[in-house]
Amino acid sequence: ESRAFRRGLLAVARGSGDRDGDALAEFDAWLENHPWGFTAVVDGPNVAYLNQNYDGGRFRLAQVDAVVRALEARGHVVLIALPAKYCDAVVPNHRKGANAQFSTALGAPRQKLEADELALLAKWSARGALYAVPRACHDDLYWMLASTRGLLAVSNDRARDHWGAVADERTYKRWKAAAVAGFDVACDGAATLSFPRPWARDAHAVPGVDG
């Protein structure tokens, strides 16, 4: 079933153009052959934009860091999937009422990352934990595909737009219940995770991780 999902996701990417299809296939090969054996993948934008739909809301890498640390505390080897446009010093801000620090000529809101946020990107990149999804590619396909290789996916995104082209409703529900963890980040910055049943165990029993 995982192989069928993976083929379906690759087909969805290919349907958007050869560039998208080639980029996702490259990620799939990279993940399959990576020596680290990642056990969890984080949907970076979904985490960074949590609870930011208000005046002054912004893309917050500190929230991604909180989720990563919560996963690592349970013994996970974490991969962060983040579109390349969010790996720059100036990034988009797609939140409603965004308090953008400046806008482009087209009026698209943008924000400058703080020094501590740039330091997080540098840290993740240096240790090989950051995968920058190529520009104009569908970043959701990357964390979804990673879940078909046995990684626990962390996202509150229902991903229905993509799964509709890959699987029926029953199969979609089975995938989400088994492979995707929800999350929350409190006002004090602490992250909590809602693990699917196969992963709801202590760090010594996390699949693929030695205690």
Side-chain angles (χ1 to χ4, degrees):
E1 188 171 78
S2 292
R3 287 193 295 271
F5 286 167
R6 189 157 52 249
R7 288 194 298 269
L9 291 168
L10 289 165
V12 169
R14 187 71 62 186
S16 297
D18 288 344
R19 179 179 178 275
D20 282 7
D22 290 346
L24 188 60
E26 181 179 337
F27 170 71
D28 186 38
W30 177 88
L31 189 61
E32 181 181 19
N33 298 313
H34 201 286
W36 284 18
F38 294 108
T39 64
V41 59
V42 174
D43 176 5
N46 185 258
V47 176
Y49 278 127
L50 177 73
N51 296 330
Q52 296 303 304
N53 202 16
Y54 62 91
D55 287 344
R58 68 195 307 275
F59 180 81
R60 296 188 183 276
L61 284 176
Q63 297 188 161
V64 178
D65 186 51
V67 168
V68 169
R69 287 186 285 108
L71 286 165
E72 290 177 340
R74 292 180 63 93
H76 280 286
V77 182
V78 183
L79 175 65
I80 303 157
L82 199 62
K85 64 184 179 181
Y86 287 113
C87 297
D88 296 331
V90 178
V91 303
N93 186 333
H94 293 306
R95 278 311 188 196
K96 180 180 179 181
N99 184 16
Q101 291 167 299
F102 69 88
S103 298
T104 67
L106 297 178
R110 309 275 287 176
Q111 71 178 66
K112 292 181 179 179
L113 295 184
E114 304 291 342
D116 57 343
E117 295 174 314
L118 293 172
L120 285 174
L121 287 175
K123 178 182 72 173
W124 296 331
S125 180
R127 73 185 199 189
L130 177 65
Y131 195 93
V133 176
R135 295 176 191 276
C137 291
H138 297 294
D139 59 284
D140 284 340
L141 296 180
Y142 287 72
W143 65 264
M144 292 165 67
L145 186 142
S147 77
T148 73
R149 291 236 173 248
L151 279 69
L152 172 68
V154 180
S155 178
N156 288 339
D157 189 343
R158 295 188 176 186
R160 287 184 178 274
D161 292 345
H162 301 294
W163 272 114
V166 177
D168 58 32
E169 182 73 9
R170 181 178 179 183
T171 304
Y172 161 80
K173 289 180 178 179
R174 191 161 61 243
W175 163 76
K176 188 163 179 62
V180 184
F183 68 93
D184 195 13
V185 180
C187 294
D188 63 1
T192 56
L193 300 167
S194 300
F195 288 91
R197 190 171 302 164
W199 295 85
R201 55 192 73 181
D202 61 31
H204 295 288
V206 173
V209 178
D210 292 331

